[in-house]
């Protein structure tokens, strides 16, 4: 079992920054990767980024490449999503999740999820 709790969402103006955190507990050492997804109203949940738990290798969706950075802190069992140059289209509920499937970007292959945190970007 893995428990995930996100924090750090909020309201920001376009061009601003936020950092999301995902605190993990349970059998995190056995997971391949921790990922970030987002879901805007009326849209499907989409992959944002992920990072391998052991090696710390990140991978990103094209839509956030160069603006978002994912990192992890083993000692704190926490994964971060640093979001810079935020745009109104980034507005969504952001979720962290964990998976055993190498380098997957499919939400259906992530089996533990946090409750989500709202990010709203005003123009």
């Amino acid at each position: 079992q893995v428990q995930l709790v996100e924090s750090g969402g909020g309201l920001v103006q376009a061009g601003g920054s936020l950092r999301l955190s995902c605190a993990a507990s349970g059998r995190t050492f056995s997971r391949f990767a921790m990922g970030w997804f987002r879901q805007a109203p009326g849209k499907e949940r989409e992959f944002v980024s992920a990072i391998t738990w052991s090696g710390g290798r990140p991978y990103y969706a094209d839509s956030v490449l160069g603006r978002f950075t994912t990192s992890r802190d083993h000692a704190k069992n926490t994964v971060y999503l640093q979001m810079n140059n935020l745009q109104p289209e980034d507005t969504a509920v952001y979720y962290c999740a964990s998976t055993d499937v190498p380098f997957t970007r499919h939400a259906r292959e992530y089996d533990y999820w946090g409750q989500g945190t709202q990010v709203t970007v005003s123009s």
Side-chain angles (χ1 to χ4, degrees):
Q1 290 283 338
V2 176
Q3 295 80 40
L4 305 171
V5 179
E6 303 98 334
S7 60
L11 173 64
V12 65
Q13 289 188 336
S17 299
L18 283 174
R19 189 177 80 155
L20 305 183
S21 299
C22 175
S25 60
R27 298 179 61 85
T28 54
F29 61 87
S30 67
R31 311 301 285 170
F32 179 81
M34 301 293 291
W36 289 97
F37 288 77
R38 64 187 182 187
Q39 188 166 19
K43 294 188 176 181
E44 292 188 356
R45 193 166 296 189
E46 66 170 346
F47 173 80
V48 174
S49 70
I51 188 165
T52 62
W53 191 244
S54 61
R57 175 182 167 181
Y59 41 110
Y60 301 95
D62 289 345
S63 59
V64 305
L65 194 61
R67 299 189 299 127
F68 291 11
T69 302
T70 294
S71 61
R72 56 102 173 94
D73 184 330
H74 264 167
K76 296 182 179 179
N77 260 8
T78 300
V79 176
Y80 302 99
L81 182 66
Q82 177 66 43
M83 304 184 294
N84 297 329
N85 191 23
L86 283 160
Q87 300 300 314
E89 53 266 34
D90 295 315
T91 294
V93 177
Y94 283 71
Y95 299 89
C96 73
S98 71
T99 183
D100 278 339
V101 180
F103 302 109
T104 181
R105 298 168 184 241
H106 299 295
R108 64 178 179 272
E109 294 181 325
Y110 285 74
D111 48 3
Y112 294 101
W113 292 82
Q115 82 287 354
T117 186
Q118 177 70 46
V119 171
T120 303
V121 185
S122 63
S123 57

